[in-house]
Amino acid sequence: MATPQDAPTPATSAAARNSGDHLLEAAILPVWLNQRTIGFFGFIWLWIGMAVIIATFQLGAGGVAGLPLIQVVAIIFLANLVLGVVMSLTADIGTEHGLSFAVYLRAPFGLKGTHLPAVSRGVVAAIWFGVQTYLGALALNGIVEYLWGLDNWILWYVLFAVVQIVNTALGIRAVELLASIAAPCIVAISVWMYFTLDVLAETQGINIWTFVGDQNVAALGLFFANMAFWSALAVDIPNLTRFLKTKGGERSFFQRNKNVFVAQFLALPATQAWIALIGGVSFIAAGDWNPVTVIQGQGGGLTLIALLAMVILAQWSTNNAANLIPAALTFVNAGAPRVSYPVALVIAGIIGTASMPWLILNNLFTFLSYYGAVLSAVGGIMVADYYLLRRRRLNVPALYDPNGQFRFSGGFNPAGLIAWIIGGGLALIFLEYAYAVGFGSALVVYIVLMKAWVLRRYPQEEITSGYDDRFLATSVGRNWVYTEKGRFERLKTGDIPDSALKREDR
């Protein structure tokens, strides 16, 4: 069992534990090393599934409206490589400490302040769930209408939403299984789509590689638009990486996160660029960014069913990992212990439907631009807090202690909130370059405010200790475990007692 030298110790009296109940729920506890089930290929499949979304087609089409196709593909690939750096940095929060996005934000924003950025992200994720469920429902309706003549997309929306929620509620292993089935199918169908569209362009005498549109498209603008596109997952990637297999006791950042790198620096950029290319070719061949609509108009039968099946699989695999899990975890964090993981998934489904996604779809890129700008600032704050301020050390037990160091001022960390307001505000003003402006400005403002003001009033033990290794976990072969004693202990995997609180999201 842990000794006082092994782990920081929060208040352990019954009164303290009871008052801290609102910070505890099984789904938002740190994930232990022996609970991490996503492997090397599993994480790749997850990213391929998440990258194939309908908006990516539109991104590619918007690029070729004024730039050569090869340049558009290169810009999108490069943008994802750069974003992969940010994702790899924030991913370590999950691999090192096993923490979810919303719980980690208790450090830079405070025990109550976390709910402002976290729930904002959760609502956006729920809205995305609604949008993608609507697209999947239309595809299901198209198949059923073609085969049996029944036209009722509302019925398929409800059924598709329920199936996705149940699948995600079964745990991360069920999500990974779905991705491992969907991703290869999506890739195969997308290759067929490309050649079909290329032939369509050739019949019209168009060379897709020499075509250049007549609209004014800025290469730099396309670059930052793509970064904003993934800004949400760049901040909440710990929700997934906390389940990623990693070897305990590995001090090297690169070795500890080796299962992250191929997915972030190859699978995501390559898939995103490939799907954007198909959207671009669709625009060149038919003047329509949506290849599903274009090819669907060319024929029926198995062609139609295969296309619509790809749409269904793409929406399903994306929704599980990129939308339902992030949304549910932020709602659990806000409503613990009364809101369990399955209940939070249902709440996400209700919010996504109530947002009327069929209307948002008509203004998708406006929606993407504004929320991407706001979340870029959160990314800057996370990197500043985790690396520049705490040097990867984290007093995890205090994240669940209502009277601990992360209470700050009434539960709010003013440095995080001010940095978010300034960074997010500047990103909205300079919308075309929102990601760079929001990320950079929030990072600088947060560090300055913490060092010049907040740390003097609210000392942080991992910093005042001289960055002691007792505030590390995975890299020193330890797990943050909530035991039957009603407290956190920092244990080796073999020392975790059977009575320790188990997860509900595996």
PDB file of all heavy atoms in Angstrom, residues 87-105:
ATOM      1  N   MET A  87      -1.960  17.828 -30.127  1.00  0.00           N
ATOM      2  CA  MET A  87      -2.688  16.654 -29.639  1.00  0.00           C
ATOM      3  C   MET A  87      -1.782  15.714 -28.854  1.00  0.00           C
ATOM      4  O   MET A  87      -2.186  15.150 -27.837  1.00  0.00           O
ATOM      5  CB  MET A  87      -3.313  15.905 -30.815  1.00  0.00           C
ATOM      6  CG  MET A  87      -4.518  16.590 -31.424  1.00  0.00           C
ATOM      7  SD  MET A  87      -5.279  15.535 -32.672  1.00  0.00           S
ATOM      8  CE  MET A  87      -6.761  16.484 -33.039  1.00  0.00           C
ATOM      9  N   SER A  88      -0.552  15.533 -29.333  1.00  0.00           N
ATOM     10  CA  SER A  88       0.376  14.649 -28.636  1.00  0.00           C
ATOM     11  C   SER A  88       0.740  15.204 -27.263  1.00  0.00           C
ATOM     12  O   SER A  88       0.936  14.451 -26.305  1.00  0.00           O
ATOM     13  CB  SER A  88       1.648  14.458 -29.467  1.00  0.00           C
ATOM     14  OG  SER A  88       1.354  13.797 -30.688  1.00  0.00           O
ATOM     15  N   LEU A  89       0.821  16.534 -27.171  1.00  0.00           N
ATOM     16  CA  LEU A  89       1.126  17.156 -25.881  1.00  0.00           C
ATOM     17  C   LEU A  89      -0.020  16.968 -24.894  1.00  0.00           C
ATOM     18  O   LEU A  89       0.186  16.555 -23.749  1.00  0.00           O
ATOM     19  CB  LEU A  89       1.420  18.643 -26.074  1.00  0.00           C
ATOM     20  CG  LEU A  89       2.718  18.988 -26.813  1.00  0.00           C
ATOM     21  CD1 LEU A  89       2.812  20.494 -27.052  1.00  0.00           C
ATOM     22  CD2 LEU A  89       3.939  18.509 -26.031  1.00  0.00           C
ATOM     23  N   THR A  90      -1.230  17.256 -25.312  1.00  0.00           N
ATOM     24  CA  THR A  90      -2.373  17.108 -24.406  1.00  0.00           C
ATOM     25  C   THR A  90      -2.699  15.639 -24.151  1.00  0.00           C
ATOM     26  O   THR A  90      -3.264  15.293 -23.110  1.00  0.00           O
ATOM     27  CB  THR A  90      -3.617  17.827 -24.953  1.00  0.00           C
ATOM     28  OG1 THR A  90      -3.891  17.358 -26.280  1.00  0.00           O
ATOM     29  CG2 THR A  90      -3.405  19.330 -25.002  1.00  0.00           C
ATOM     30  N   ALA A  91      -2.334  14.750 -25.097  1.00  0.00           N
ATOM     31  CA  ALA A  91      -2.594  13.316 -24.926  1.00  0.00           C
ATOM     32  C   ALA A  91      -1.896  12.758 -23.701  1.00  0.00           C
ATOM     33  O   ALA A  91      -2.387  11.814 -23.064  1.00  0.00           O
ATOM     34  CB  ALA A  91      -2.147  12.552 -26.175  1.00  0.00           C
ATOM     35  N   ASP A  92      -0.742  13.334 -23.325  1.00  0.00           N
ATOM     36  CA  ASP A  92       0.029  12.813 -22.198  1.00  0.00           C
ATOM     37  C   ASP A  92      -0.715  12.953 -20.874  1.00  0.00           C
ATOM     38  O   ASP A  92      -0.426  12.221 -19.923  1.00  0.00           O
ATOM     39  CB  ASP A  92       1.379  13.540 -22.113  1.00  0.00           C
ATOM     40  CG  ASP A  92       2.339  12.852 -21.149  1.00  0.00           C
ATOM     41  OD1 ASP A  92       2.760  11.723 -21.454  1.00  0.00           O
ATOM     42  OD2 ASP A  92       2.635  13.438 -20.093  1.00  0.00           O
ATOM     43  N   ILE A  93      -1.665  13.869 -20.806  1.00  0.00           N
ATOM     44  CA  ILE A  93      -2.477  13.992 -19.589  1.00  0.00           C
ATOM     45  C   ILE A  93      -3.216  12.679 -19.337  1.00  0.00           C
ATOM     46  O   ILE A  93      -3.368  12.238 -18.198  1.00  0.00           O
ATOM     47  CB  ILE A  93      -3.473  15.165 -19.725  1.00  0.00           C
ATOM     48  CG1 ILE A  93      -2.707  16.490 -19.844  1.00  0.00           C
ATOM     49  CG2 ILE A  93      -4.446  15.194 -18.562  1.00  0.00           C
ATOM     50  CD1 ILE A  93      -3.577  17.662 -20.253  1.00  0.00           C
ATOM     51  N   GLY A  94      -3.671  12.050 -20.425  1.00  0.00           N
ATOM     52  CA  GLY A  94      -4.350  10.769 -20.303  1.00  0.00           C
ATOM     53  C   GLY A  94      -3.393   9.620 -20.061  1.00  0.00           C
ATOM     54  O   GLY A  94      -3.625   8.777 -19.191  1.00  0.00           O
ATOM     55  N   THR A  95      -2.288   9.564 -20.817  1.00  0.00           N
ATOM     56  CA  THR A  95      -1.370   8.440 -20.673  1.00  0.00           C
ATOM     57  C   THR A  95      -0.607   8.477 -19.352  1.00  0.00           C
ATOM     58  O   THR A  95      -0.333   7.437 -18.762  1.00  0.00           O
ATOM     59  CB  THR A  95      -0.373   8.392 -21.849  1.00  0.00           C
ATOM     60  OG1 THR A  95       0.273   9.651 -21.978  1.00  0.00           O
ATOM     61  CG2 THR A  95      -1.079   8.058 -23.142  1.00  0.00           C
ATOM     62  N   GLU A  96      -0.266   9.665 -18.863  1.00  0.00           N
ATOM     63  CA  GLU A  96       0.496   9.773 -17.613  1.00  0.00           C
ATOM     64  C   GLU A  96      -0.386   9.617 -16.378  1.00  0.00           C
ATOM     65  O   GLU A  96      -0.063   8.859 -15.469  1.00  0.00           O
ATOM     66  CB  GLU A  96       1.211  11.122 -17.559  1.00  0.00           C
ATOM     67  CG  GLU A  96       1.959  11.385 -16.250  1.00  0.00           C
ATOM     68  CD  GLU A  96       3.094  10.396 -16.014  1.00  0.00           C
ATOM     69  OE1 GLU A  96       3.890  10.169 -16.935  1.00  0.00           O
ATOM     70  OE2 GLU A  96       3.170   9.833 -14.911  1.00  0.00           O
ATOM     71  N   HIS A  97      -1.511  10.324 -16.331  1.00  0.00           N
ATOM     72  CA  HIS A  97      -2.316  10.354 -15.109  1.00  0.00           C
ATOM     73  C   HIS A  97      -3.668   9.638 -15.236  1.00  0.00           C
ATOM     74  O   HIS A  97      -4.367   9.489 -14.231  1.00  0.00           O
ATOM     75  CB  HIS A  97      -2.554  11.802 -14.676  1.00  0.00           C
ATOM     76  CG  HIS A  97      -1.298  12.529 -14.319  1.00  0.00           C
ATOM     77  ND1 HIS A  97      -0.617  12.309 -13.142  1.00  0.00           N
ATOM     78  CD2 HIS A  97      -0.570  13.464 -14.993  1.00  0.00           C
ATOM     79  CE1 HIS A  97       0.456  13.087 -13.094  1.00  0.00           C
ATOM     80  NE2 HIS A  97       0.515  13.783 -14.198  1.00  0.00           N
ATOM     81  N   GLY A  98      -4.033   9.214 -16.452  1.00  0.00           N
ATOM     82  CA  GLY A  98      -5.304   8.516 -16.636  1.00  0.00           C
ATOM     83  C   GLY A  98      -6.523   9.385 -16.463  1.00  0.00           C
ATOM     84  O   GLY A  98      -7.619   8.893 -16.176  1.00  0.00           O
ATOM     85  N   LEU A  99      -6.357  10.706 -16.664  1.00  0.00           N
ATOM     86  CA  LEU A  99      -7.443  11.654 -16.389  1.00  0.00           C
ATOM     87  C   LEU A  99      -8.254  12.010 -17.621  1.00  0.00           C
ATOM     88  O   LEU A  99      -7.731  12.063 -18.737  1.00  0.00           O
ATOM     89  CB  LEU A  99      -6.860  12.945 -15.798  1.00  0.00           C
ATOM     90  CG  LEU A  99      -6.263  12.857 -14.397  1.00  0.00           C
ATOM     91  CD1 LEU A  99      -5.571  14.155 -14.042  1.00  0.00           C
ATOM     92  CD2 LEU A  99      -7.345  12.524 -13.369  1.00  0.00           C
ATOM     93  N   SER A 100      -9.518  12.304 -17.408  1.00  0.00           N
ATOM     94  CA  SER A 100     -10.367  12.828 -18.471  1.00  0.00           C
ATOM     95  C   SER A 100     -10.137  14.336 -18.617  1.00  0.00           C
ATOM     96  O   SER A 100      -9.588  14.991 -17.725  1.00  0.00           O
ATOM     97  CB  SER A 100     -11.844  12.564 -18.156  1.00  0.00           C
ATOM     98  OG  SER A 100     -12.255  13.324 -17.026  1.00  0.00           O
ATOM     99  N   PHE A 101     -10.573  14.865 -19.725  1.00  0.00           N
ATOM    100  CA  PHE A 101     -10.437  16.286 -20.048  1.00  0.00           C
ATOM    101  C   PHE A 101     -11.066  17.174 -18.979  1.00  0.00           C
ATOM    102  O   PHE A 101     -10.438  18.101 -18.458  1.00  0.00           O
ATOM    103  CB  PHE A 101     -11.078  16.523 -21.417  1.00  0.00           C
ATOM    104  CG  PHE A 101     -11.407  17.947 -21.751  1.00  0.00           C
ATOM    105  CD1 PHE A 101     -10.405  18.875 -21.987  1.00  0.00           C
ATOM    106  CD2 PHE A 101     -12.734  18.364 -21.868  1.00  0.00           C
ATOM    107  CE1 PHE A 101     -10.707  20.195 -22.326  1.00  0.00           C
ATOM    108  CE2 PHE A 101     -13.047  19.664 -22.210  1.00  0.00           C
ATOM    109  CZ  PHE A 101     -12.032  20.591 -22.433  1.00  0.00           C
ATOM    110  N   ALA A 102     -12.307  16.896 -18.619  1.00  0.00           N
ATOM    111  CA  ALA A 102     -13.036  17.762 -17.693  1.00  0.00           C
ATOM    112  C   ALA A 102     -12.415  17.766 -16.300  1.00  0.00           C
ATOM    113  O   ALA A 102     -12.342  18.809 -15.645  1.00  0.00           O
ATOM    114  CB  ALA A 102     -14.506  17.336 -17.611  1.00  0.00           C
ATOM    115  N   VAL A 103     -11.957  16.599 -15.822  1.00  0.00           N
ATOM    116  CA  VAL A 103     -11.335  16.543 -14.502  1.00  0.00           C
ATOM    117  C   VAL A 103     -10.003  17.292 -14.515  1.00  0.00           C
ATOM    118  O   VAL A 103      -9.693  18.036 -13.584  1.00  0.00           O
ATOM    119  CB  VAL A 103     -11.136  15.087 -14.053  1.00  0.00           C
ATOM    120  CG1 VAL A 103     -10.260  15.023 -12.799  1.00  0.00           C
ATOM    121  CG2 VAL A 103     -12.483  14.433 -13.769  1.00  0.00           C
ATOM    122  N   TYR A 104      -9.221  17.129 -15.568  1.00  0.00           N
ATOM    123  CA  TYR A 104      -7.948  17.849 -15.626  1.00  0.00           C
ATOM    124  C   TYR A 104      -8.166  19.366 -15.590  1.00  0.00           C
ATOM    125  O   TYR A 104      -7.385  20.104 -14.970  1.00  0.00           O
ATOM    126  CB  TYR A 104      -7.140  17.488 -16.875  1.00  0.00           C
ATOM    127  CG  TYR A 104      -5.915  18.364 -16.968  1.00  0.00           C
ATOM    128  CD1 TYR A 104      -4.833  18.133 -16.125  1.00  0.00           C
ATOM    129  CD2 TYR A 104      -5.878  19.485 -17.796  1.00  0.00           C
ATOM    130  CE1 TYR A 104      -3.736  18.982 -16.129  1.00  0.00           C
ATOM    131  CE2 TYR A 104      -4.787  20.332 -17.811  1.00  0.00           C
ATOM    132  CZ  TYR A 104      -3.723  20.073 -16.974  1.00  0.00           C
ATOM    133  OH  TYR A 104      -2.647  20.925 -16.958  1.00  0.00           O
ATOM    134  N   LEU A 105      -9.223  19.846 -16.229  1.00  0.00           N
ATOM    135  CA  LEU A 105      -9.467  21.292 -16.254  1.00  0.00           C
ATOM    136  C   LEU A 105      -9.735  21.875 -14.875  1.00  0.00           C
ATOM    137  O   LEU A 105      -9.761  23.099 -14.711  1.00  0.00           O
ATOM    138  CB  LEU A 105     -10.639  21.623 -17.184  1.00  0.00           C
ATOM    139  CG  LEU A 105     -10.378  21.508 -18.690  1.00  0.00           C
ATOM    140  CD1 LEU A 105     -11.537  22.124 -19.471  1.00  0.00           C
ATOM    141  CD2 LEU A 105      -9.074  22.158 -19.098  1.00  0.00           C
TER     142      LEU A 105
END
